[in-house]
Every structure is written in C-alpha cells, then in structure tokens.
Amino acid sequence: MDTDHLLQQIRDLSLGDGRQLVTKYAAALSNPAAFGILLADEALKELYTPFFSLKLAEVLISFGDGVRHLSSHALGLKAKGDALVQIGHFREAIECLDAAGEEFLCLGDEGNWARSRISWMTASESLGHVEEALREANRARSVFERLGEQYWAAIVAVNTAVIYDHMGRYQDAIQLYTYARATFLTVVDQPETAIKRAIAIAEFDQAVSFCRLGRFAEALQLQQQAYASLIALGDTQLTIFIEIDMANIDYTQGYYGQALLRYVRARDALSQNDTGTPTNPMLLAELKLWMANCLTKLNRSQEACQLVEEAVDLYRQSGTSLQTSNALREYGTALRASGKLPEALDALREALVLFHHGGLGHFVRTTKLQQAEILLEMGNSDEAYTLARQIREQVDDQSFMVQSVGAALIMAEALLLDARQASGKDNQTPLLEQAALLCKQSALQAKDHHLQEEIYKSHYLLGRIFAFQGNSFKAAKHYLAAIIQIERILKNLAFDLSPSFLHSAWAVYEAMVVLCLQQSQRERAFSYLERARSVALSQYLRQASSQYDKQSEQDEIAVQPELQANKTTALRIQYELREWQEKYH
C-alpha cells in the first residue's frame, strides 16, 4: 500500500479503524522512524484542517507505542498539541507539548524540542501568559540559530512578532517580520512551496501591524502579495485567513458592507465540507465577533448581540483569556448599540481585567476608548476626557493613528459638552477653541490615513462647534463636508448595507436642516430633507433587490434581514422624513 492511499484511508476511517490500519501497515515496515516522520510532516501540512491533523496525531502516537519508537511517540504528542492549539484547547495543548518536549530532550533532540515551543507560545499567550510565551520564544530561536536551522528561527520570529502585535509593540513586530521574510529567502534546505507559504504568512501578519499604525496602503500591498502566493500554491485554508485580514482593514477604514461580505465569504469557505460542520470552531467564533461588529455598524444590534453572546460563551468554556476578553469587548459594543450602557460598561470592565493580566496594550487602549465613548454618552464628560487624553498621550508617542484620532474626537466632544454647561462666553471660548483645534487635527489625520468614518465625524463635530458659537457660515461648510463624506461611504458599501440614517448619519442632515431654518432658508432646508430621503431610500431599496443567494435558514437569521423588513424600514423612513417636511416647510 502506498502512503498516499494510506493517508486517504485514514482520512475516511474512524480514529479506531485508522489506528488498526496503521498497526497492520507497521508490521511490514523496515524503517519505522521514516514512517513516523512522514505522518508528523503530514499532520503539520494539514494543520489548518485541524481535526484531520488531530486524527493523524493520535494515529502517530498509537504507532509510536505499537512499534516502541519513542521519537514517533514524541512527534505524535507534538502534532496533537499543534492541532489542539488550532481548535482553541490551549491548556490541553500545553500538556501535550510539554510531554513531547520532555521526550525530545531525553532523546537529545534539541531541534524538535524547539519546534514543540512554537505552538506552545501561541497557547501560552492565549491563556494570558505573555511573558512566559516570549521567554520560550527566545529559547527556541536561540536553539535554531545555534543549530543553523534558519527556516525554523524565522518561523519563531514570526510567532514572536504576532505576540508583539497583540501587546501593541508594532514597530518591534514589523522588525521581526522583516527579518523573517529576508531569512526565508536565504533558506535552501526546505521545499520551495514551504518557503513561499512561510513568506506569505509573514506578509499578511505584517500587514496587520501596518494597519494598526494606519499604514493601510502598505498593508494592502502585502495582503495582495500573500493572497496571490497562496492562491498559486492552492492553499485554500490560509486564503480564508487573508480574507478575514482584509475584512479587518475594510472595517477599520469604515467599509462595513465590504467587510461583512468578506467575513461571510470566509465563514462559508470554513464550513464547506461534506458534513456542513466548520473545520475550525474557534475560528468560527472569531468570525461571529467580526460579523457582529459589522452588524452593529449597520444598525442590526440585536443580531450582533446574539452572535457575540454565542462567541463569549464558547470562549469562556474553553478558558481562553485573550479570546474571552476580546469577545467581551465586542459584547460591550453590541450592548451599547442596543442602548444598554451600564451593562456595556460592566462587560468592558471584565474585559479590561483580562487584558491587563495578559499585558496586551493595544486591546487595553481600545477597550478604554470604548469606555470613554460610553461615559460621554452618559454625560460624564470629565471622566471621558481624562481617559481619552491619557490614551492619546500614550498612542501619539507610538503613532497609532486609529486610536489617536478616536481619542481626539472624544476629547473634543467632551469639551463641547463642557462648553454647553459653562456659564458666560469667557468660560466657553477656550473650551470651544481647544475642541475645534482637536477636530481639525483629526480631520487631517483621518484624511491622510483614509479613515472614512472619522472624516465625517470630525467635520460634523466642527459644524456643531461653530453652530454653538453662532458662526452659521462655517457650521454649514463643515456639515456639508460631513454629508458629502457620508454619501461617499454609502456609495462604496458592498450590497448597499448602509448604517442607519435615523440613528447615526441622519443627525448630520438634521443639524444642517435646523441650521438652514434658523437662517430662514426654507427651500435649502427642504432640499437637504429631500437629499437625505433620496439617499436613505436608495440604500434600503437597493438592499432589498440585492439579497444574498439562498442560504440556510440559520444563515438568513444571522446575516440577512428579511425583504419585508427592508420594505417596512423604507416606509418608516419615508414617514419620519415626511414629518420633518411638515414641521419645517
């Protein structure tokens, strides 16, 4: 029996039958060690279809026991740990990897001991043990460099960079990614396909760090390179990860419909097998979080809450600190969108405890920004301003543009609220001047870094500041700039899945209408009402005619609004806009 046929049979058989098949096959083997290495290599190749990889690992462990070959047994334990990391069973993974590491050291096999640390790092960080993960990473990399195994030294560097990225040390991460990509090009003792695949992984991981720093053009270029490489290699599993990564950048820049489209595409690809069961449940849970983010932005908060609750429960059951805390942060976003502000703060506080414990700086700052926004919404301007200022001071030193702009807008909003509550022009003027300066800086930075939503928010806030000062000309100028940006965002949304005007963008049109009426410009006010109605109805009616292809009933509940609901929403928009027309014209 050739090995390809054997592997296919193992794939199709149950675990017990697969073990029996390999036991029979082993009886005729003259070189058990070579077969053990073959199974270990195959388990590594199949790592992104983790349940088959796990089956191969269990078969390899059984094979090592059966032929009494300690190296094969250790390789099986390592492969099992690798697969368990992929499905989110981090504690069990560490147990397997530690056991494998001890067996490798008993055999004097330092190289395989160091290889057992690679997945160990990921598992340890996911459980919140960041310093331990970095310590083992440094030990493993030193071993590979001493042994002259540059390929594996670069692999460790990539995994270390991922941890730095989670900690907010983006420049350190970028340096390691650059080192790893250069090192891969010098490797001659690995197959060309393995090298190309490793470079592609480093490229799309580095793109994440570029995105965190607001360097979206560089991020997109790397993603496209990685995507093209993996397509050429026929690696469908990793292309799913890049699809998700590209969706994350779309989301960051405000392209929520396009991001949701990519997430749905990745989810569908993840679930494409004979049983219809996802091959990676933990990745599916992450996708639920990301889809919920988009749904919240698209004013579908109830669907978002449902998806996030499912993800939170799954992560809590698995005991994964990083994933649980991130899910809680997303839960806070969904609760806020549903108007449950105290509950949202509770979720964010729980998330912060876990993020602080893990030393994950980027997530700490992002969560605190969410807290500041909610505090501002609850009228606590002083606490919101202080929190946002602290974050901005931290991130300005490191050029984290998305967080910097977000913090500046919160500070400006808090200053405007304070000015409204202050008595006397002398007390109001310095607050308003400071708020306007922050908004102008934010608008320029958002434009430079293509942050779509932040551009319109900056202009809208500037318009409100000038309106409060009685400067109608400048207020109208900035309201119009905000409206133009809103319509640009909506025009580019995939499937026209637009944010709700009545809950977000409509406020800008409303402010412009009120400003026009205050100046007795009734015709102009009416024109903006008609403009808002035209864009809003266009979005919802085109959405109704551009439904996704037929999917399962569950998918329709989770991702698609019913056609009748779209029609009802469109009619409601017409009714509310007509009320405005009757009131002001």
Side-chain angles (χ1 to χ4, degrees):
M1 182 187 302
D2 65 51
T3 53
D4 288 341
H5 182 57
L6 176 67
L7 290 170
Q8 184 58 50
Q9 283 191 293
I10 294 173
R11 184 187 295 273
D12 296 335
L13 292 170
S14 67
L15 175 59
D17 291 341
R19 283 171 169 162
Q20 290 180 7
L21 178 66
V22 170
T23 299
K24 293 178 182 178
Y25 184 78
L29 288 175
S30 59
N31 189 350
F35 182 68
I37 292 172
L38 182 147
L39 278 182
D41 288 345
E42 194 65 27
L44 188 60
K45 290 178 187 176
E46 296 288 344
L47 198 54
Y48 290 96
T49 51
F51 287 104
F52 180 52
S53 182
L54 184 59
K55 182 191 288 188
L56 287 174
E58 294 285 8
V59 168
L60 180 53
I61 292 170
S62 179
F63 169 78
D65 286 336
V67 298
R68 297 185 179 181
H69 190 253
L70 185 59
S71 180
S72 293
H73 184 270
L75 286 170
L77 287 172
K78 175 192 169 297
K80 183 176 180 179
D82 292 340
L84 287 170
V85 167
Q86 293 302 311
I87 59 176
H89 292 240
F90 299 116
R91 297 185 191 282
E92 295 85 349
I94 285 177
E95 291 177 4
C96 285
L97 293 167
D98 281 340
E102 289 178 10
E103 292 185 11
F104 286 133
L105 291 177
C106 288
L107 293 167
D109 188 348
E110 284 190 291
N112 272 321
W113 171 84
R115 275 181 276 279
S116 75
R117 301 300 89 190
I118 296 172
S119 289
W120 192 98
M121 294 159 49
T122 301
S124 182
E125 188 222 358
S126 296
L127 292 171
H129 308 314
V130 178
E131 294 303 323
E132 292 91 332
L134 290 175
R135 184 178 64 246
E136 288 295 275
N138 290 333
R139 289 179 63 196
R141 189 173 163 193
S142 296
V143 169
F144 286 133
E145 289 175 345
R146 177 163 50 79
L147 295 175
E149 297 190 33
Q150 296 303 315
Y151 173 82
W152 289 104
I155 292 289
V156 172
V158 169
N159 283 267
T160 306
V162 170
I163 297 175
Y164 282 152
D165 184 84
H166 292 163
M167 296 173 70
R169 294 170 57 178
Y170 303 122
Q171 296 293 356
D172 291 335
I174 288 170
Q175 288 179 4
L176 277 180
Y177 288 131
T178 302
Y179 155 81
R181 290 167 57 199
T183 302
F184 285 133
L185 292 174
T186 68
V187 172
V188 295
D189 61 346
Q190 294 290 327
E192 184 180 0
T193 54
I195 294 170
K196 288 182 177 179
R197 183 173 179 273
I199 291 172
I201 292 172
E203 285 174 339
F204 91 74
D205 282 341
Q206 187 170 0
V208 174
S209 294
F210 279 138
C211 182
R212 302 291 195 197
L213 293 172
R215 295 160 64 176
F216 297 114
E218 293 166 277
L220 183 59
Q221 181 182 357
L222 283 177
Q223 285 179 325
Q224 290 172 340
Q225 288 174 200
Y227 194 84
S229 296
L230 293 171
I231 289 292
L233 292 170
D235 196 327
T236 56
Q237 290 298 318
L238 273 177
T239 55
I240 293 175
F241 286 86
I242 295 187
E243 189 83 66
I244 293 169
D245 200 29
M246 295 173 78
N248 290 340
I249 290 185
D250 285 335
Y251 176 86
T252 300
Q253 295 184 87
Y255 301 122
Y256 307 121
Q258 179 67 25
L260 181 59
L261 169 63
R262 290 188 185 278
Y263 290 138
V264 171
R265 188 185 298 159
R267 183 204 61 187
D268 291 346
L270 191 67
S271 302
Q272 284 178 357
N273 54 47
D274 294 338
T275 64
T277 302
T279 56
N280 193 333
M282 295 301 283
L283 180 57
L284 180 64
E286 288 186 62
L287 278 169
K288 287 183 177 183
L289 289 183
W290 293 322
M291 288 166 63
N293 251 344
C294 292
L295 289 168
T296 298
K297 290 293 187 181
L298 300 173
N299 195 40
R300 291 155 65 179
S301 57
Q302 293 303 318
E303 295 169 81
C305 281
Q306 179 182 342
L307 286 172
V308 179
E309 281 187 273
E310 293 171 6
V312 169
D313 289 342
L314 183 59
Y315 287 135
R316 277 178 171 155
Q317 290 169 17
S318 66
T320 56
S321 174
L322 173 60
Q323 285 80 1
T324 302
S325 46
N326 193 44
L328 284 165
R329 184 175 61 81
E330 304 298 351
Y331 193 32
T333 299
L335 287 167
R336 178 191 174 194
S338 299
K340 301 175 181 178
L341 302 184
E343 294 90 337
L345 282 177
D346 288 341
L348 294 178
R349 290 188 190 103
E350 186 179 351
L352 271 175
V353 171
L354 295 173
F355 282 137
H356 274 300
H357 178 70
L360 303 171
H362 167 75
F363 294 104
V364 168
R365 291 189 296 273
T366 300
T367 306
K368 286 185 175 181
L369 274 177
Q370 288 178 261
Q371 282 186 316
E373 290 173 344
I374 294 173
L375 289 166
L376 192 59
E377 199 169 335
M378 297 172 72
N380 193 338
S381 60
D382 290 343
E383 191 173 349
Y385 180 89
T386 300
L387 193 56
R389 184 184 62 187
Q390 291 172 353
I391 295 167
R392 189 164 186 249
E393 289 171 352
Q394 294 170 5
V395 299
D396 275 353
D397 291 340
Q398 304 172 67
S399 302
F400 301 152
M401 195 52 60
V402 176
Q403 293 179 339
S404 178
V405 173
L409 289 174
I410 292 172
M411 292 167 65
E413 184 85 38
L415 289 167
L416 176 58
L417 182 59
D418 287 343
R420 291 184 183 280
Q421 296 172 348
S423 59
K425 191 172 182 179
D426 290 342
N427 293 325
Q428 294 173 345
T429 299
L431 295 171
L432 295 171
E433 288 177 349
Q434 188 180 352
L437 179 60
L438 285 167
C439 286
K440 290 174 183 177
Q441 292 172 345
S442 297
L444 289 173
Q445 291 173 330
K447 184 177 180 181
D448 288 343
H449 294 276
H450 310 290
L451 305 178
Q452 304 300 310
E453 191 172 358
E454 283 75 7
I455 293 173
Y456 105 73
K457 286 182 176 180
S458 298
H459 284 293
Y460 174 46
L461 190 48
L462 273 168
R464 290 166 58 199
I465 291 168
F466 287 120
F468 182 68
Q469 290 177 311
N471 191 332
S472 300
F473 174 77
K474 287 189 176 180
K477 174 185 173 183
H478 288 288
Y479 285 153
L480 180 58
I483 287 171
I484 290 171
Q485 178 62 17
I486 287 167
E487 292 173 1
R488 183 180 293 119
I489 291 173
L490 295 175
K491 183 179 179 181
N492 291 325
L493 283 174
F495 291 139
D496 299 307
L497 293 170
S498 59
S500 168
F501 272 87
L502 296 177
H503 290 84
S504 55
W506 167 245
V508 184
Y509 288 85
E510 179 181 349
M512 179 65 101
V513 168
V514 171
L515 184 66
C516 291
L517 291 172
Q518 289 172 346
Q519 298 176 290
S520 299
Q521 298 175 347
R522 292 184 175 83
E523 291 300 326
R524 192 178 179 204
F526 181 75
S527 72
Y528 280 105
L529 279 171
E530 289 299 316
R531 186 168 178 171
R533 180 170 67 175
S534 174
V535 176
L537 290 178
S538 172
Q539 292 297 312
Y540 278 98
L541 292 174
R542 281 157 56 189
Q543 178 184 348
S545 64
S546 302
Q547 291 295 309
Y548 294 114
D549 294 335
K550 289 184 179 180
Q551 298 188 22
S552 66
E553 181 180 354
Q554 181 180 359
D555 288 345
E556 291 177 1
I557 292 172
V559 179
Q560 303 176 26
E562 295 292 340
L563 180 61
Q564 184 59 43
N566 289 328
K567 293 179 178 177
T568 302
T569 303
L571 291 172
R572 176 168 55 83
I573 291 172
Q574 292 185 73
Y575 176 77
E576 297 198 22
L577 287 170
R578 187 168 62 248
E579 279 191 329
W580 266 90
Q581 290 174 332
E582 292 171 355
K583 183 175 181 181
Y584 288 107
H585 187 59

